[in-house]
Amino acid sequence: MTGQVRTVDGRVAGRRGQATRQKLLDCLSEMLSSSPYRDVKVIDVARRAGTSPATFYQYFPDVEGAVLEIAEAMAKEGAGLTELVAGRSWVGKAGRQTAEDLVEGFLTFWRKNDAILRVVDLGAAEGDKRFYKIRMKILNSVNNSLADAIKDLQSRGKVDKEINAAAVAGSLVAMLASVAGHQKGFQSWGVKQSELKPSLTLLVHLGVTGKKPAK
Amino acid sequence: MTGQVRTVDGRVAGRRGQATRQKLLDCLSEMLSSSPYRDVKVIDVARRAGTSPATFYQYFPDVEGAVLEIAEAMAKEGAGLTELVAGRSWVGKAGRQTAEDLVEGFLTFWRKNDAILRVVDLGAAEGDKRFYKIRMKILNSVNNSLADAIKDLQSRGKVDKEINAAAVAGSLVAMLASVAGHQKGFQSWGVKQSELKPSLTLLVHLGVTGKKPAK
DNA sequence: CGGTAAGCTGACGGCATGACAGGACAAGTG
DNA sequence: CACTTGTCCTGTCATGCCGTCAGCTTACCG
């Protein structure tokens, strides 16, 4: 329980304050979508929100702090990605469908939140634990479910026991995240969106089960 | 041939000038390793290089411009990654070795250049074509070779023809790049470095050939 | 209506940016 | 050795953003 929203100087934010705060977050979000992270300035965010820089600093310690806030909200939503994998079958036609749904859901989520996810990715890669934790929170939901699926298949003798479930699951999730983040990039390789999904589906299915998906 | 190195105002740089320029690039590199990209300031780079900000601006239009320079140099080196795949066998024991070498070489390269690669990745994800091109230059060398290998296997009937070679190769390369960039991150999932490589090797081999690698 | 706390902003010192002109320096020339 | 030439570096300056504070306005409550 975080309890109440507070300003930097300790006051509790009322209805109006929370609205302003939210507006700043929204404007920052838009800003991140339209200009490089490095060039996002407090003054621009404030201007766009129709307020002053001083107001921004009343609610957030700095740009990074506000970004963390946005990311946290997104992570909460992203935890729902678990359902794409948890409790689903990896056998036969159903297995193919599971892989397909996972890829589809993942790409959609990533595209929807690409701007903020870019920044989270950078922060995590730079070693910032706070960003790191958020990235984990999102990927973990899928990663753990995938690892469980692999372990389950292992216990039933359908997959080599010497395989490290967590490592394979993590690599697959990293693949999904990376491809999702550079979706546009694939076009330069002459790969269209529509061709990307089947390939990812194939790789995910192969990675989890060791076998090609059923038609 | 770019010909001569030039300053921002058009003069050709002599020996001393090039040394200063290089020193600035080196210091910027160190800076990127030790502090977040967003916080790297021209004045800090200049101070570290024992010179003044004005000197920096004589050789580079801004921080981004200098970063591009460093990235370009790295890309040249990275083009050598082709040799990890080109002309190598994907059959039997040799195939396993190919996958292993590819993973090893890739991870090593990435770790060596992680700071600059982070920035390139961000720039590319943000849609900056210049960064994009550099990222391509590095990944292309591996990607094309991988795609060729898959096509070759397809033509010999060893892999399904309906698979899109470029898409699969691209996804595998993206996976390698992403895992390499978040190597530390896997530790939080309880995955050690030593366990990561076999898993990646497995996935790469599976992706290319559709079969598990031979022991 | 007066008190209190929330909400906002103008203004300010500090620092980074980016441009310029001019000084320092090395190398070649007579 | 003085002089010239072209490279190289820096002092300085206008501009603009950062981050903070005091103080003003607004909303709520008894």
Side-chain angles (χ1 to χ4, degrees):
Chain A
M1 301 299 140
T2 52
Q4 292 161 315
V5 179
R6 287 187 173 273
T7 59
V8 168
D9 57 339
R11 285 184 302 206
V12 289
R15 200 185 313 145
R16 189 155 66 113
Q18 293 205 23
T20 303
R21 197 183 126 100
Q22 191 55 51
K23 185 158 198 178
L24 284 168
L25 287 177
D26 292 343
C27 291
L28 173 55
S29 259
E30 294 171 30
M31 217 91 223
L32 286 174
S33 305
S34 60
S35 52
Y37 178 47
R38 200 170 198 280
D39 298 342
V40 171
K41 309 286 178 198
V42 169
I43 198 170
D44 296 323
V45 177
R47 258 203 285 263
R48 183 185 272 246
T51 180
S52 77
T55 302
F56 182 95
Y57 286 105
Q58 195 153 48
Y59 295 105
F60 311 103
D62 49 24
V63 173
E64 205 186 64
V67 166
L68 276 166
E69 201 79 12
I70 298 174
E72 209 91 53
M74 180 198 58
K76 219 169 265 180
E77 187 193 344
L81 290 172
T82 315
E83 292 163 21
L84 292 169
V85 191
R88 300 198 51 174
S89 163
W90 284 93
V91 184
K93 254 190 177 173
R96 180 206 172 81
Q97 189 64 43
T98 302
E100 223 162 65
D101 291 350
L102 171 58
V103 168
E104 175 68 32
F106 212 96
L107 291 190
T108 302
F109 178 79
W110 224 261
R111 181 145 25 165
K112 185 175 160 195
N113 302 99
D114 65 337
I116 190 74
L117 280 164
R118 279 198 298 268
V119 181
V120 171
D121 243 42
L122 174 69
E126 277 175 343
D128 187 309
K129 284 182 186 169
R130 298 165 303 171
F131 284 111
Y132 193 67
K133 228 173 146 184
I134 289 175
R135 190 171 187 268
M136 283 259 299
K137 196 170 174 182
I138 297 171
L139 298 188
N140 252 346
S141 62
V142 176
N143 186 58
N144 290 340
S145 305
L146 263 188
D148 286 347
I150 296 176
K151 280 180 202 156
D152 182 53
L153 288 171
Q154 282 179 322
S155 74
R156 290 194 283 141
K158 301 214 173 195
V159 167
D160 282 357
K161 300 228 174 185
E162 59 197 61
I163 285 175
N164 184 320
V168 170
S171 301
L172 287 174
V173 170
M175 175 181 73
L176 287 175
S178 177
V179 172
H182 293 281
Q183 283 181 67
K184 284 179 196 162
F186 276 87
Q187 288 164 13
S188 318
W189 278 333
V191 179
K192 291 175 187 167
Q193 295 285 338
S194 56
E195 298 168 322
L196 206 49
K197 284 181 200 167
S199 302
L200 287 172
T201 304
L202 169 71
L203 287 171
V204 168
H205 195 280
L206 265 176
V208 174
T209 69
K211 293 176 186 170
K212 292 171 202 165
K215 298 230 168 150
Chain B
M1 300 298 142
T2 53
Q4 291 160 314
V5 179
R6 287 185 173 274
T7 58
V8 167
D9 56 340
R11 283 187 304 211
V12 290
R15 201 185 312 143
R16 190 154 67 109
Q18 292 205 24
T20 303
R21 198 183 125 100
Q22 191 55 49
K23 185 159 198 176
L24 284 167
L25 287 177
D26 292 343
C27 292
L28 174 56
S29 257
E30 292 171 31
M31 217 94 223
L32 285 173
S33 305
S34 60
S35 52
Y37 177 48
R38 200 171 198 283
D39 298 342
V40 170
K41 307 289 178 196
V42 169
I43 197 170
D44 296 322
V45 177
R47 258 202 285 266
R48 181 185 273 246
T51 181
S52 77
T55 301
F56 182 96
Y57 286 107
Q58 196 154 44
Y59 294 106
F60 311 103
D62 49 23
V63 172
E64 204 187 65
V67 167
L68 276 166
E69 201 79 13
I70 298 174
E72 209 92 51
M74 181 199 56
K76 221 169 264 182
E77 187 193 343
L81 289 172
T82 316
E83 293 163 21
L84 292 169
V85 192
R88 300 197 50 174
S89 163
W90 284 94
V91 184
K93 253 191 178 174
R96 181 208 172 80
Q97 189 65 43
T98 301
E100 223 163 64
D101 292 349
L102 172 59
V103 169
E104 175 69 32
F106 212 96
L107 291 190
T108 303
F109 178 78
W110 223 262
R111 182 146 25 164
K112 184 175 161 197
N113 302 99
D114 66 336
I116 190 75
L117 280 164
R118 278 199 299 267
V119 180
V120 171
D121 243 40
L122 174 70
E126 278 175 344
D128 187 310
K129 285 182 185 168
R130 297 165 305 169
F131 284 110
Y132 193 66
K133 229 174 145 184
I134 290 175
R135 189 172 187 268
M136 283 260 300
K137 195 170 173 181
I138 298 171
L139 298 189
N140 252 345
S141 63
V142 176
N143 185 58
N144 291 340
S145 305
L146 263 188
D148 287 346
I150 296 176
K151 279 180 203 156
D152 183 53
L153 289 171
Q154 282 178 321
S155 71
R156 290 194 282 140
K158 301 214 171 195
V159 168
D160 282 357
K161 300 229 173 183
E162 60 196 62
I163 285 175
N164 183 321
V168 170
S171 301
L172 288 174
V173 170
M175 174 182 74
L176 288 174
S178 178
V179 172
H182 292 281
Q183 283 180 70
K184 284 179 196 162
F186 276 86
Q187 289 165 12
S188 317
W189 276 334
V191 178
K192 291 175 187 168
Q193 295 283 340
S194 57
E195 298 168 322
L196 207 48
K197 284 181 200 167
S199 303
L200 287 172
T201 304
L202 169 70
L203 287 171
V204 167
H205 195 281
L206 266 176
V208 174
T209 69
K211 293 175 184 169
K212 292 171 203 164
K215 298 228 168 156

